[in-house]
Amino acid sequence: MEMKAPRGTMDILPPESERWRRVAERGTALFRAYGYREIILPIMEYTEVFARGIGQGTDIVQKEMFTFADKSGRSLTLRPEATAGVARAFVQHHLDKAGLPVKLYYQGPMFRHERPQAGRYRQFRQLGVELIGSPHPSADAEVIMVCNEFFSMLGIETDLVINSVGDGDCRPAYIDALKEYLAVNKASLCKDCRRRAVENPLRVLDCKVESCARVIAGAPGLEAFLCEVCRQHYHEVAELLQAASIPFRRDDRLVRGLDYYTRTVYEFQDPQAGAQNALAAGGRYDKLVEELGGKPMPATGFSIGMERVMLAGPRLEESEDAGVYVVAIGEAARGRAFLAANRLRSAGIRADLDHMQRSPKAQMREADRGGFACSVIVGEDEMAGGYYTLRDMREGGQERVEESGLVETVRQRLELRQAAPGKRGMGEDGR
Ligand code: HAM
């Protein structure tokens, strides 16, 4: 039997995995610059965390969770998203005690049993940020700003679409109006939406089926139903975004596939992508912490979908860490080459060497193929004289380096290379 990764999952192999790592590192460095600190959560939770947090009537909870019983029969679920887990941890560890707001970020795999297609997987990675404790529009604007900055830093063009879904005071009237409208148009809805129209009418607005899209286009919008407090909140978020020169479009039928949202919701959409066009999405969720057993606690945040970001082609500079390859000429030199590589590595320099008994020429080819900026050559002369030959793999120049100066000289040469990246090429003698 041919063994393959499960449907909807994928292996990310080098060198692509290095691009992923660099995108994630740039994102998390950005989050830290805005004062967010990392929270590392379990990838499974008791099922009720998601059932209560995300909402019983959502597609995620009804159809998409990987749920199983542990040996005692208790129901566990692989996390379909991380916000509910963050809120659960916030309550469990009384994170509000250290002062508000609590600003957290996370990264890692999420699991949803969806029909796989381009940009939609059953295991996917998210980077996300949650700001817990502030009800103010500046908190919404800050997280949107962080997300916006993430995409501009990577040169990815996005359309930011925002809306307000109101709160417990004004949303019920909207839902009634929507229900009424959907009941009249029931015949044109897909099978799922006929059920949603009764159980959870807001979810109909998410449906991508063509006949439903036509019904949705004529549905009442949320904005007209907002109460004064929600309207003012929405207005202030929009003003702050304008002041920060962040372009956005309002869409008063934008809702999200999770029930915990209150007031602000938004998506960063890829203008070039098809159906799975949300590169990141988020919003305010003022009731979630309370729903999971905590005190009333306003909060807001977003998650970025890494697979979709990588498909959008993030702009990254040339590899920043070119490293050094240690070449042994002759069997006798292998031991010294091995020690030299280890010394360089202990000093934090990326170093590699041959484990395949290759000829010196083939080792040089490896150094070139692996993208190393320099090679350190150990041969008979070097052994006898107690020095190394350091070769610049791009320019081809060589210099003699004393034993005691190896680490420092290599470090300096690598720093110079990083400052002025050039073409790589082997010397004519193959050395
Ligand atoms: P979400 O809209 O369900 O929100 O997911 C956020 C992002 O994760 C999406 O915009 C998309 O880029 C990516 N994503 C979702 N499902 C898949 C999938 N099956 N395959 C690939 N990528 C996917 C949340 O998860 C909320 N927790 C966001 C949030 C944080 N709200 C407040 N704080």
Side-chain angles (χ1 to χ4, degrees):
M1 187 183 111
E2 198 187 350
M3 297 282 200
K4 284 192 172 162
R7 185 164 140 80
T9 72
M10 63 174 162
D11 302 309
I12 305 158
L13 308 174
E16 187 54 17
S17 55
E18 279 143 25
R19 288 173 52 74
W20 280 63
R21 178 179 52 76
R22 282 160 62 203
V23 168
E25 278 173 4
R26 295 204 54 190
T28 53
L30 173 73
F31 302 160
R32 283 193 297 276
Y34 274 84
Y36 294 82
R37 299 170 74 191
E38 185 162 22
I39 180 165
I40 303 173
L41 295 163
I43 59 165
M44 56 187 177
E45 298 277 351
Y46 289 121
T47 302
E48 58 263 28
V49 170
F50 303 120
R52 292 178 70 108
I54 298 171
Q56 288 286 2
T58 60
D59 279 0
I60 297 182
V61 171
Q62 293 210 338
K63 313 197 274 206
E64 295 171 2
M65 299 206 299
F66 285 92
T67 296
F68 53 97
D70 71 8
K71 293 222 159 101
S72 72
R74 185 130 185 220
S75 181
L76 289 168
T77 293
L78 294 182
R79 62 182 185 190
E81 60 104 52
T83 309
V86 171
R88 190 269 308 142
F90 182 91
V91 176
Q92 180 176 342
H93 304 288
H94 310 285
L95 294 186
D96 54 323
K97 286 235 171 85
L100 297 175
V102 174
K103 296 171 73 169
L104 300 167
Y105 76 83
Y106 51 83
Q107 53 178 327
M110 311 291 155
F111 305 84
R112 295 185 195 176
H113 198 282
E114 297 192 82
R115 204 157 46 78
Q117 52 175 264
R120 191 162 79 189
Y121 307 93
R122 290 185 176 169
Q123 176 174 335
F124 56 97
R125 286 184 79 82
Q126 285 184 344
L127 295 181
V129 149
E130 313 291 352
L131 190 158
I132 307 177
S134 169
H136 301 296
S138 64
D140 303 70
E142 176 178 295
V143 292
I144 293 175
M145 208 179 280
V146 176
C147 197
N148 187 66
E149 180 124 0
F150 174 85
F151 290 113
S152 4
M153 167 178 94
L154 295 170
I156 297 175
E157 200 194 320
T158 56
D159 288 334
L160 168 59
V161 184
I162 67 171
N163 192 20
S164 172
V165 293
D167 64 8
D169 286 338
C170 53
R171 205 177 331 161
Y174 174 70
I175 291 176
D176 286 347
L178 183 61
K179 256 189 186 159
E180 217 168 281
Y181 171 81
L182 294 174
V184 174
N185 291 279
K186 192 172 160 197
S188 314
L189 295 175
C190 71
K191 195 167 140 259
D192 276 342
C193 281
R194 277 183 219 159
R195 174 182 52 78
R196 291 180 190 130
V198 182
E199 288 174 12
N200 197 348
L202 281 182
R203 295 285 73 79
V204 175
L205 301 183
D206 274 337
C207 186
K208 302 282 187 276
V209 175
E210 213 176 289
S211 58
C212 294
R214 278 197 297 273
V215 176
I216 295 163
L222 268 148
E223 203 167 340
F225 288 81
L226 294 181
C227 61
E228 200 38 48
V229 193
C230 288
R231 187 185 306 279
Q232 183 60 22
H233 192 276
Y234 188 21
H235 176 71
E236 286 177 32
V237 173
E239 262 190 352
L240 285 164
L241 294 180
Q242 265 153 4
S245 305
I246 297 177
F248 61 89
R249 175 167 63 80
R250 290 168 184 248
D251 175 352
D252 76 346
R253 289 188 197 90
L254 177 76
V255 291
R256 314 253 312 103
L258 305 103
D259 278 353
Y260 51 59
Y261 291 112
T262 48
R263 297 189 177 154
T264 321
V265 293
Y266 50 89
E267 288 185 354
F268 283 82
Q269 299 174 350
D270 181 343
Q272 261 97 53
Q276 308 306 319
N277 67 349
L279 294 166
R284 174 165 283 286
Y285 50 97
D286 289 347
K287 300 286 172 215
L288 177 61
V289 170
E290 201 177 345
E291 186 63 47
L292 296 178
K295 290 190 263 202
M297 190 61 67
T300 178
F302 66 80
S303 311
I304 297 169
M306 276 291 286
E307 283 71 11
R308 296 185 192 175
V309 168
M310 297 313 290
L311 282 172
R315 192 185 56 210
L316 292 164
E317 324 73 47
E318 273 277 290
S319 168
E320 69 271 52
D321 179 19
V324 53
Y325 196 86
V326 184
V327 173
I329 303 179
E331 278 317 295
R334 286 194 183 266
R336 188 153 174 249
F338 193 78
L339 291 178
N342 281 346
R343 258 181 70 199
L344 291 160
R345 291 161 175 164
S346 308
I349 295 169
R350 178 186 158 225
D352 211 348
L353 81 170
D354 175 53
H355 291 294
M356 304 302 289
Q357 300 288 312
R358 288 187 173 91
S359 70
K361 198 166 172 171
Q363 290 179 49
M364 275 304 200
R365 254 197 313 270
E366 280 301 296
D368 194 49
R369 203 173 62 92
F372 294 89
C374 306
S375 54
V376 168
I377 301 166
V378 189
E380 248 172 56
D381 293 348
E382 284 85 356
M383 300 271 280
Y387 65 92
Y388 298 97
T389 300
L390 180 60
R391 181 187 191 98
D392 185 317
M393 293 302 292
R394 291 171 196 177
E395 317 257 296
Q398 293 192 172
E399 64 185 303
R400 185 186 277 220
V401 183
E402 295 309 315
E403 177 82 54
S404 59
L406 177 68
V407 167
E408 255 338 284
T409 314
V410 167
R411 199 193 303 282
Q412 277 169 15
R413 296 297 171 269
L414 290 178
E415 275 165 12
L416 276 180
R417 274 277 132 254
Q418 208 174 318
K423 274 174 74 125
R424 228 183 305 132
M426 255 198 295
E428 282 178 359
D429 58 356
R431 244 180 93 140

